[in-house]
Amino acid sequence: MHGNTPLLSIRELKKVYKTREGELEALGSVTFDIYPQEFVSIVGPSGCGKTTLLKIIAGLLPKTSGEIFVDKKQFDPSREVGFVFQKPLLLPWRKVIDNVLLPIEILKLDKRNYIEKARALLELVGLSGFENNYPNELSGGMQQRVSIARALIHDPKLILMDEPFGALDALTRERMNLELLRIWSESQKTILFVTHGIQEAIFLSDRVIILSARPSRMIKALDIELPRPRTMEVRSSAEFGVYSLEVYRCLELT
Amino acid sequence: MKLLLRRVGYFFLFLLFWQVAVMVLGIKEFIIPSPLKTLSHIFQPTLAAKYQWPLHIQATLMEILLSFLITAISGNLVALLISWSRALKTLITPIIVFFNSLPKIALAPLFLLWFGYGLLPNTLIAVLVAFFPIVINTSTGLEQVDEDLLNLVRYLGATKGQIYVKIKIPNALPYIFSGFKISATMCVVGSIVGEFIASDKGLGYLLKDAQAFIDTPTMFACLLLISLLGILFFGALSLLEARVLYWMPQTTGGGKG
């Protein structure tokens, strides 16, 4: 169904931690492709290596074996990846706009060329007018929006999100899901989203990758063919229920 | 501000109680002088109190400020080195643990032997006493950083220098300031101890000198001035802290100490 070439290819990726008791397999063998402008979610039980997978892709952890490449080339996470963590991780001593500009400073790019872009991104995430506030003046949901803007500032192709809304209350989380879909379609980025919210994964994604408990294996990559743009009504449709059931079945929850 | 006024008010109430108690109970001046008597020894030089207060205050103040400056710079530098390099950490830590376990005041006589008399040995004694709290606080601060906060810049390929400048050092500032406040008090203690042991100037010297003449009001006046210097210094650091750590959630009332 995808005519174009993958943005990122992952082949038989494995991660084994050496502990005193012996080897601990954190990530079995995972293989999948992500295509440009796709929204892919990874679900699975706690400890199945979801976060480990993201950290390996971002270059924060070394892989044990397997390959990650783009168009047969090695993958340079510092330019290609924007990471949104579980916590907003804003620097409390920096204004909102300077938090968004942090990656530009780290990459040693000329900050002056990105100030307008930072403003535009804050507008995209619904925070125009908050440029000069400090993080502790914002709510949890607003802080996570800032961290999304920060992940987009250096124009990476791939956004990795590690349970970004896990710490938010249910209502804010629903709202952030809708917002994220809007941001995703407006920014035309590719998103790899880790969650243990099955409904959330189905609602957001083009494809849901289901991992088993440790040692994790890829159980299934489930294509979600629900119409876009998605609204809350989708969640009460029959198809949505069928997809949910399929995921539950894969995770042996039925 | 209201809280500050109330505290000052309570303090004056305490002084009043003291004054009345001394008068009513008829306590002898050479045991406990009244607050008014104490103040009169500072502001109205009598034959008994022919002391050059400005000279002594200046000497002690110089020692306190100079020792704090030296401690603040060297202590933070050592903490930074320990945090930066694992090799240096293994090298320096045992030395620090050894010196820190010594009763540092006990080294004061040695310092006098080595450095003589006056400003230099007194300052160095104060530095010795005040040094370790800064090293310990700052290195704790540099380590107390959320691992994910480091990941946030690591995936972008941040250099070690960038990690320190952008994340670790600003993140350690609250710890650095609490180290400053502890060591400010220690600097006062160290300076006074130095003056006790051998000096010809300073409030500590004067305190000891007045004791020889059983001039208790002057001794009380010295104590009052020493604590006043300590409070002013601590207050100045607190103001600076509030300025530098503008981003910290405000604790209402503004007093920590």
Side-chain angles (χ1 to χ4, degrees):
Chain A
M1 64 172 271
H2 299 282
N4 44 9
T5 51
L7 175 73
L8 184 74
S9 299
I10 292 168
R11 293 286 172 271
E12 291 173 27
L13 195 67
K14 265 190 200 177
K15 178 70 186 174
V16 179
Y17 289 108
K18 289 202 170 61
T19 64
R20 227 172 294 167
E21 287 83 38
E23 294 192 336
L24 180 77
E25 198 173 39
L27 198 62
S29 176
V30 174
T31 295
F32 62 93
D33 291 329
I34 305 170
Y35 293 87
Q37 295 176 36
E38 229 188 347
F39 198 123
V40 178
S41 288
I42 300 174
V43 295
S46 296
C48 74
K50 301 182 296 262
T51 300
T52 304
L53 175 60
L54 285 198
K55 285 191 169 163
I56 293 172
I57 295 173
L60 288 169
L61 281 176
K63 61 186 186 233
T64 306
S65 66
E67 278 181 83
I68 303 174
F69 54 87
V70 196
D71 293 338
K72 308 268 187 270
K73 287 190 300 252
Q74 278 291 308
F75 175 71
D76 174 18
S78 70
R79 294 302 177 112
E80 319 266 11
V81 165
F83 208 124
V84 180
F85 294 82
Q86 252 166 39
K87 287 171 282 181
L89 297 175
L90 302 179
L91 305 180
W93 53 89
R94 284 174 174 243
K95 290 175 181 172
V96 163
I97 189 145
D98 294 321
N99 266 290
V100 174
L101 287 165
L102 179 70
I104 299 306
E105 293 173 27
I106 300 297
L107 294 168
K108 299 188 175 111
L109 301 172
D110 192 346
K111 226 164 108 175
R112 283 167 300 180
N113 301 335
Y114 286 88
I115 289 170
E116 275 316 302
K117 181 153 189 223
R119 285 183 201 285
L121 283 172
L122 283 171
E123 200 184 326
L124 177 72
V125 299
L127 282 178
S128 46
F130 288 94
E131 290 86 351
N132 293 321
N133 285 72
Y134 284 95
N136 67 22
E137 298 165 331
L138 307 182
S139 70
M142 289 160 96
Q143 292 190 13
Q144 201 53 290
R145 287 163 194 255
V146 176
S147 86
I148 293 171
R150 179 181 57 196
L152 293 168
I153 186 73
H154 55 300
D155 207 19
K157 293 193 194 101
L158 179 65
I159 310 296
L160 303 175
M161 304 183 104
D162 184 11
E163 295 183 47
F165 310 136
L168 302 177
D169 64 272
L171 212 62
T172 311
R173 187 174 182 162
E174 307 274 301
R175 193 173 302 131
M176 289 302 292
N177 281 341
L178 287 169
E179 285 283 294
L180 180 60
L181 284 181
R182 186 181 57 76
I183 293 164
W184 168 65
S185 69
E186 283 180 33
S187 64
Q188 304 195 323
K189 296 292 176 195
T190 312
I191 296 183
L192 183 59
F193 188 93
V194 159
T195 178
H196 44 232
I198 290 164
Q199 317 285 333
E200 185 179 45
I202 296 169
F203 178 66
L204 294 170
S205 312
D206 295 314
R207 207 142 42 95
V208 175
I209 291 168
I210 306 157
L211 297 183
S212 71
R214 189 180 291 153
S216 64
R217 296 279 176 276
M218 225 176 102
I219 300 176
K220 185 165 190 155
L222 183 66
D223 284 316
I224 309 292
E225 283 158 10
L226 295 167
R228 290 195 188 270
R230 288 182 191 160
T231 56
M232 288 316 264
E233 285 88 66
V234 168
R235 298 190 100 149
S236 51
S237 69
E239 294 96 314
F240 194 90
V242 173
Y243 285 127
S244 305
L245 202 61
E246 175 72 17
V247 178
Y248 286 131
R249 203 185 51 73
C250 286
L251 292 170
E252 294 171 358
L253 289 168
T254 54
Chain B
M1 204 57 211
K2 230 174 166 178
L3 190 76
L4 184 69
L5 277 178
R6 214 161 62 200
R7 283 183 183 169
V8 172
Y10 284 143
F11 183 66
F12 274 98
L13 219 63
F14 166 71
L15 288 183
L16 189 70
F17 172 76
W18 175 6
Q19 181 76 35
V20 170
V22 168
M23 283 161 72
V24 171
L25 300 173
I27 296 171
K28 297 255 182 349
E29 189 186 294
F30 70 88
I31 306 283
I32 301 176
S34 71
L36 284 176
K37 189 78 196 172
T38 302
L39 286 176
S40 78
H41 273 240
I42 301 174
F43 292 110
Q44 293 175 336
T46 57
L47 209 62
K50 56 189 180 311
Y51 306 109
Q52 296 168 281
W53 290 103
L55 177 84
H56 296 297
I57 293 171
Q58 198 198 359
T60 303
L61 189 63
M62 269 300 282
E63 287 162 11
I64 294 172
L65 292 181
L66 201 62
S67 60
F68 181 76
L69 199 70
I70 296 172
T71 322
I73 294 170
S74 61
N76 280 313
L77 212 62
V78 168
L80 195 63
L81 285 175
I82 291 174
S83 155
W84 184 275
S85 150
R86 196 169 289 268
L88 275 175
K89 184 175 184 166
T90 19
L91 189 73
I92 298 176
T93 307
I95 303 172
I96 287 182
V97 171
F98 170 70
F99 274 102
N100 195 31
S101 65
L102 282 177
K104 282 152 292 276
I105 296 290
L107 293 182
L110 264 181
F111 273 51
L112 290 167
L113 186 79
W114 291 335
F115 303 108
Y117 205 69
L119 181 69
L120 182 65
N122 294 351
T123 303
L124 289 178
I125 290 165
V127 168
L128 189 68
V129 178
F131 178 72
F132 297 99
I134 294 218
V135 176
I136 290 163
N137 266 280
T138 303
S139 40
T140 308
L142 289 172
E143 274 169 36
Q144 293 289 325
V145 53
D146 190 336
E147 193 61 24
D148 270 336
L149 214 50
L150 301 179
N151 284 337
L152 171 69
V153 292
R154 275 190 193 136
Y155 87 89
L156 295 161
T159 61
K160 203 171 176 181
Q162 281 179 323
I163 289 175
Y164 272 84
V165 172
K166 309 273 184 201
I167 311 276
K168 282 195 171 180
I169 293 174
N171 189 66
L173 277 174
Y175 290 87
I176 293 174
F177 268 98
S178 75
F180 280 173
K181 283 158 128 185
I182 296 168
S183 108
T185 317
M186 301 284 206
C187 282
V188 177
V189 174
S191 302
I192 299 299
V193 167
E195 290 170 358
F196 275 174
I197 294 172
S199 206
D200 55 359
K201 277 200 290 281
L203 294 167
Y205 155 78
L206 200 54
L207 189 64
K208 225 183 138 205
D209 193 53
Q211 184 215 20
F213 299 100
I214 320 177
D215 181 3
T216 320
T218 299
M219 292 175 73
F220 268 68
C222 287
L223 289 176
L224 188 74
L225 287 170
I226 291 166
S227 80
L228 208 62
L229 284 182
I231 290 169
L232 284 177
F233 193 26
F234 194 89
L237 279 173
S238 299
L239 281 179
L240 184 69
E241 183 185 31
R243 267 293 178 83
V244 174
L245 301 181
Y246 55 87
W247 43 271
M248 289 280 279
Q250 291 295 310
T251 46
T252 45
K256 303 172 190 151

